[in-house]
Amino acid sequence: MTIRWAVIPRGLDVRDESNWEQIADLVGAADIAVMTAEHGTAIHYATSPGRQAPADILVCDTPGLAVAAVAADCVPVVLDCGTEVVVVHAGWRGVLAGAKMPCHAAS
């Protein structure tokens, strides 16, 4: 799997669905799955585009589907796990609660 990433330009809000096509184009993807951060330990597996179930860890192995982590004062993390891409909304609440990275290809 090829990992391409981009920093979203200021003013292009990933939470606004009208921007999703333009954001997917930034990384050459057909579509985008957008994280719904919750400041916890939940993991969601993105298999289709659109707003995803609440989770701070979003895993994807679907070719052509971009994944987006949303962060303000937390840290967005992108992991290349071989056959999966994992994006993380890394904040202190999730760390203290024991969030674990689900890199299946690395285990």
Side-chain angles (χ1 to χ4, degrees):
M1 179 175 287
T2 302
I3 307 297
R4 292 182 293 250
W5 64 276
V7 174
I8 307 303
R10 184 180 295 256
L12 192 58
D13 190 345
V14 73
R15 296 168 298 181
D16 182 347
E17 292 182 30
S18 67
N19 293 327
W20 290 357
E21 183 177 344
Q22 186 177 353
I23 292 168
D25 286 346
L26 285 173
V27 293
D31 223 327
I32 189 168
V34 177
M35 171 184 284
T36 303
E38 66 167 5
H39 297 100
T41 62
I43 300 168
H44 179 72
Y45 291 82
T47 58
S48 60
R51 193 169 316 281
Q52 304 297 300
D56 283 325
I57 301 170
L58 189 58
V59 182
C60 183
D61 65 358
T62 304
L65 181 60
V67 288
V70 179
D73 61 342
C74 295
V75 179
V77 178
V78 179
L79 304 169
D80 176 355
C81 296
T83 59
E84 299 171 324
V85 175
V86 178
V87 293
V88 180
H89 171 257
W92 67 267
R93 287 181 182 92
V95 171
L96 287 179
K100 305 282 190 288
M101 299 301 123
C103 286
H104 298 105
S107 53

